[in-house]
Amino acid sequence: MKKILIIVMILSVVGCKKALKEDPKGQVVGTQALSTVAGLNAALVGAYKPLSTTWVSGFTTAAAVAVIMGSDDLTTHPASNKADLREFDQYHVSNLNGRMLNIWNGCYKSIQGSNNIINNYKSTTGDAATITQIVGEAYYLRALDYYWLIRLWGRIPLITSEVYSPEVLNVTPSAPVDVYKLIESDLLNAEKMMQNKKMDAGRASKGAASALLADVYLTEGGWPVNDNSKYALAAAKAKEVIDNKAAYGFDLVSDLNTLWQNTRLGTTTSEEVFAIHNCGTCNWFNANALYGSSAMPGEENGWDDFLQKLNFLMIFPRDQERLPPSTP
């Protein structure tokens, strides 16, 4: 046994005399990876994915349910795993709330991917129209990410570099007005660079950028920017989207059964401005965020995550769709 141990030790010492040199011929790293349209498109997938079910699971989790609990029209009970949702409902979210990390990590990972495209696309060779579309989508995603972050957290780090360095860990939060300035700029760039309609289901378009910009202007009219001049811009941009609904491919779906069935299956409809498409039955951990189980009562095999407040129901006229005839 001692002889074997001595031999192993000798071999270990001999093996460490020369450093291992890797030669990964099949690996493309750094900005070289974006030198082709295929590489740039792969980077775009990397910017979309953090908002979905891969890596950090962004919005296709119950976190998306939690952050809308601040609505006056929704509530939930305080028991079991609904405590995180309840904190959002009461506008008293603790630092330990487990639902926040999904949105935070998902958005910042998507921002890093978008920054990578925006900062390096000029070195890409290939079809100019395709490159322009990809970059426009990157601008849209970065704007969307920051729009969610600024509304949920207020003062946040404004990062426009894709390169990680230790200094990033100590970056100071930016003033909300500076974040909104970047959001506006990104969406204006996205409008100029993307085609009117989405290239595929789940991708952004010029119409989506214009619609989001209208929403951004409306938000800037109030707290924390408080720029009343933005209200007129919001109205004008919203009217532009409505007037060009045919060009953008937007319209109402008259058949509600088709609308909700397609939503459940992850099939695009003309009512979608921008949507993250996933298989509604592929992953148990995000199924409630995809096709409505979260709002369904337990007796219907739902999750009982949240429900409408009674006062919200009472303000509607009595009809078969909202209140039963016997309701006082």
Side-chain angles (χ1 to χ4, degrees):
M1 181 65 182
K2 291 182 179 179
K3 292 181 180 180
I4 295 175
L5 180 59
I6 292 172
I7 292 172
V8 171
M9 292 177 65
I10 292 173
L11 290 174
S12 298
V13 173
V14 172
C16 293
K17 286 184 176 179
K18 187 176 181 181
L20 175 63
K21 293 184 179 180
E22 297 184 65
D23 186 17
K25 291 184 171 61
Q27 184 179 9
V28 182
V29 296
T31 56
Q32 183 184 355
L34 304 183
S35 62
T36 66
V37 171
L40 196 68
N41 192 63
L44 181 63
V45 174
Y48 273 104
K49 274 298 183 181
L51 305 181
S52 184
T53 58
T54 306
W55 306 326
V56 289
S57 299
F59 289 93
T60 48
T61 68
V65 175
V67 297
I68 65 170
M69 292 305 301
S71 166
D72 291 335
D73 304 331
L74 299 174
T75 190
T76 186
H77 64 80
S80 65
N81 63 344
K82 307 302 182 292
D84 287 346
L85 280 69
R86 187 73 167 182
E87 289 184 358
F88 279 94
D89 183 35
Q90 296 178 336
Y91 292 95
H92 190 68
V93 184
S94 72
N95 292 334
L96 299 178
N97 191 295
R99 305 298 181 180
M100 295 192 297
L101 284 178
N102 295 91
I103 305 299
W104 178 274
N105 291 341
C107 285
Y108 270 113
K109 187 62 180 177
S110 177
I111 287 169
Q112 183 185 31
S114 299
N115 287 341
N116 190 30
I117 295 171
I118 293 168
N119 294 337
N120 295 296
Y121 78 92
K122 291 183 179 179
S123 64
T124 305
T125 58
D127 181 66
T130 302
I131 294 173
T132 300
Q133 173 68 29
I134 291 173
V135 179
E137 291 183 54
Y139 274 119
Y140 175 87
L141 289 174
R142 188 168 72 173
L144 179 69
D145 294 329
Y146 273 124
Y147 190 42
W148 273 89
L149 291 169
I150 191 67
R151 288 180 299 163
L152 287 174
W153 279 273
R155 293 175 61 85
I156 58 172
L158 186 61
I159 301 172
T160 56
S161 173
E162 76 284 5
V163 179
Y164 170 78
S165 65
E167 289 76 17
V168 174
L169 300 178
N170 298 316
V171 65
T172 57
S174 299
V177 65
D178 293 330
V179 178
Y180 275 105
K181 186 180 298 183
L182 178 72
I183 292 172
E184 279 191 33
S185 175
D186 280 357
L187 289 175
L188 290 171
N189 282 325
E191 280 186 318
K192 296 174 184 176
M193 302 181 83
M194 288 191 290
Q195 294 188 20
N196 286 343
K197 298 179 181 179
K198 60 178 74 79
M199 302 288 290
D200 296 293
R203 294 182 63 173
S205 63
K206 178 182 177 180
S210 296
L212 182 58
L213 186 55
D215 196 76
V216 169
Y217 284 147
L218 184 64
T219 302
E220 289 180 292
W223 184 88
V225 177
N226 296 318
D227 184 352
N228 291 337
S229 68
K230 299 293 185 179
Y231 288 130
L233 294 176
K237 183 59 66 173
K239 187 176 186 304
E240 176 188 319
V241 174
I242 294 171
D243 291 345
N244 291 280
K245 66 176 185 177
Y248 296 151
F250 299 152
D251 207 347
L252 296 177
V253 176
S254 58
D255 181 1
L256 291 179
N257 183 61
T258 299
L259 173 65
W260 294 115
Q261 182 68 9
N262 283 14
T263 300
R264 178 182 181 277
L265 296 175
T267 305
T268 186
T269 72
S270 59
E271 288 199 15
E272 288 181 6
V273 174
F274 173 73
I276 301 170
H277 280 263
N278 292 282
C279 171
T281 57
C282 291
N283 299 288
W284 73 266
F285 65 85
N286 69 342
N288 61 321
L290 293 179
Y291 58 82
S293 295
S294 196
M296 291 174 62
E299 58 267 26
E300 296 181 12
N301 298 318
W303 293 56
D304 277 325
D305 275 347
F306 64 91
L307 61 149
Q308 289 179 321
K309 292 182 178 179
L310 181 60
N311 288 341
F312 176 74
L313 294 174
M314 295 299 294
I315 65 174
F316 287 100
R318 185 180 300 139
D319 59 43
Q320 294 296 325
E321 293 182 353
R322 297 186 176 89
L323 293 175
S326 59
T327 300

